[in-house]
Amino acid sequence: MGNIGILIDVQDGQVKETNYGVVTAAASGAGEKIALVVSDNAVDCKDALQKYGVTKVVHVTADTPVDSDPEAQGKAIAEAIKNFDITTLVGLSTAKGKDQMARAAAELDAPAILDVMALDINAKTVTKSHFSGKTYASIGLTGDVVVIGIRMNAVEAIEAGGDATAESFQASVGGAGRVTITEIKKVESKTVDLTEAKIIITGGRSLESADNFAILRECAEVVGAAVGASRAAVDSGYAPHAMQVGQTGKTVSPNLYIGCGISGALQHFAGMKTSKVIVGINIDKDAPIFSNCDYGVLGDLFEVVPALTKAFKEKLG
Ligand SMILES: Cc1cc2nc3c(=O)[nH]c(=O)nc-3n(C[C@H](O)[C@H](O)[C@H](O)COP(=O)(O)OP(=O)(O)OC[C@H]3O[C@@H](n4cnc5c(N)ncnc54)[C@H](O)[C@@H]3O)c2cc1C
């Protein structure tokens, strides 16, 4: 039957919280649940990962430094898959995760499917949205090894308890690859990462200026939310592209999504329709967002959002 590998997305030496949902997705599968942590420096994450059902944590390095070498990372993961008899590899569909999983799958000539919303780990079937979220496809994977990238927050993390062992594995990747990451530019933000966030507050063209996004940020800071934007807001220069949610922006699945002055165009929904609870704030009762949200607030965002912020502050202290 083989084991299940879980590719851990580590950022600045920390395990991103969204990894735990991936571990939960893997935990119901047969075989060992082996977390692969690919990094030149050992990252101490055994205690955190075993809580969610990981049975073994493997620190993967190679005979050449891997941190800035995507090709070496892909080869090292492929070697670890072979070494630990992994037949299903799951990971987060972050930019880094997608790169690593695609490279590892190519090394092994294995099928890879990324950005899935749900999966049955034993049956090797996944659910993925197509055509900007208009249709869902259930897809079965076949092969000795299959690679599955899961959308952030798509699976709720559930603690499972248990103990994990820890070991190191040095892969032989045959020298440095052809690509070197020389710099990673981070967006300066006081709020949480958009794709990681459990709560997201987005603003549309109706915000009218970059300065007005401050009312969303103020609300977001109270509830620990990330701030996003529609493409119209980005194209108008009110927000950077890194904040864009939608078909040509980020795909998000928070527990709570509050769209402020967002019309709810199909291309916007493509990036956030899997949010657990959607709230729309709009002055137009016929705005498309009201046909697709769980709660609709008919009103001016410049009045509703400050009132929400005040209410959150009172409730949360
Ligand atoms: C190929 C393609 C890809 C695209 N990709 C994306 C994408 O990734 N993300 C994305 O967002 N869009 C994308 N779009 C654009 C998308 O079709 C919409 O044009 C866009 O989402 C509209 O943004 P908006 O809702 O902010 O603006 P608008 O359509 O201008 O809507 C503004 C809304 O705000 C409401 N409003 C106005 N004033 C207030 C107020 N004071 N209080 C409350 N409500 C108010 C209005 O009633 C209206 O509903 C894409 C389009 C194409 C063709």
Side-chain angles (χ1 to χ4, degrees), residues 204-206 229-233 244-249 261-265 267-268 281-284 287 299-302:
R205 195 193 326 251
S206 51
S230 72
R231 175 161 160 180
Q244 185 179 317
V245 171
Q247 186 183 328
T248 44
I262 298 254
S263 58
Q267 296 88 355
H268 187 79
I281 301 170
N282 203 297
I283 42 167
D284 178 5
D300 186 334
L301 74 93
F302 292 103

Side-chain angles (χ1 to χ4, degrees), residues 8-310:
I8 302 300
D9 197 324
V10 176
Q11 194 175 42
D12 302 327
Q14 301 287 323
V15 174
K16 287 183 172 185
E17 216 183 311
T18 35
N19 284 286
Y20 303 133
V22 177
V23 178
T24 298
S28 57
E32 276 215 82
K33 318 299 176 297
I34 304 173
L36 303 179
V37 184
V38 185
S39 153
D40 291 328
N41 302 305
V43 178
D44 185 10
C45 51
K46 185 171 91 69
D47 288 354
L49 291 170
Q50 69 187 8
K51 267 199 275 178
Y52 293 90
V54 163
T55 55
K56 185 184 282 188
V57 178
V58 178
H59 178 223
V60 180
T61 57
D63 49 2
T64 183
V66 287
D67 279 357
S68 304
D69 187 335
E71 269 184 64
Q73 289 168 13
K75 285 180 181 170
I77 294 163
E79 286 299 303
I81 286 173
K82 286 190 251 174
N83 188 72
F84 293 98
D85 190 21
I86 289 168
T87 50
T88 302
L89 179 75
V90 291
L92 272 177
S93 278
T94 53
K96 183 173 156 195
K98 286 194 263 193
D99 187 45
Q100 291 179 329
M101 284 184 280
R103 287 177 187 279
E107 285 294 326
L108 298 167
D109 198 18
I113 189 153
L114 305 173
D115 202 29
V116 309
M117 290 150 46
L119 73 159
D120 181 329
I121 194 108
N122 290 316
K124 295 186 181 175
T125 55
V126 302
T127 306
K128 191 169 157 64
S129 78
H130 287 105
F131 306 114
S132 301
K134 270 192 192 156
T135 62
Y136 294 93
S138 180
I139 302 167
L141 292 101
T142 53
D144 294 340
V145 177
V146 301
V147 177
I148 301 170
I150 302 172
R151 185 178 286 188
M152 271 79 73
N153 295 323
V155 181
E156 194 186 337
I158 300 168
E159 290 194 19
D163 282 325
T165 56
E167 63 182 88
S168 296
F169 171 72
Q170 194 189 55
S172 176
V173 301
R178 292 157 295 178
V179 177
T180 304
I181 300 168
T182 53
E183 189 186 3
I184 294 176
K185 286 193 177 164
K186 288 191 183 151
V187 177
E188 289 297 323
S189 170
K190 279 193 210 155
T191 55
V192 274
D193 184 305
L194 203 54
T195 54
E196 291 272 302
K198 296 275 193 298
I199 305 174
I200 294 178
I201 303 174
T202 49
R205 195 193 326 251
S206 51
L207 261 294
E208 294 171 356
S209 73
D211 288 347
N212 284 341
F213 266 78
I215 65 166
L216 304 191
R217 281 195 293 275
E218 197 187 333
C219 187
E221 273 170 36
V222 180
V223 290
V227 177
S230 72
R231 175 161 160 180
V234 171
D235 288 349
S236 304
Y238 306 160
H241 182 260
M243 280 171 61
Q244 185 179 317
V245 171
Q247 186 183 328
T248 44
K250 300 238 164 78
T251 302
V252 296
S253 284
N255 291 339
L256 174 62
Y257 180 94
I258 307 175
C260 309
I262 298 254
S263 58
L266 184 71
Q267 296 88 355
H268 187 79
F269 259 89
M272 42 60 80
K273 69 181 292 182
T274 50
S275 305
K276 314 287 179 300
V277 175
I278 298 172
V279 179
I281 301 170
N282 203 297
I283 42 167
D284 178 5
K285 68 175 175 38
D286 296 320
I289 197 163
F290 286 145
S291 314
N292 288 300
C293 66
D294 299 283
Y295 300 95
V297 182
L298 185 61
D300 186 334
L301 74 93
F302 292 103
E303 291 167 16
V304 177
V305 177
L308 257 184
T309 308
K310 186 166 173 277

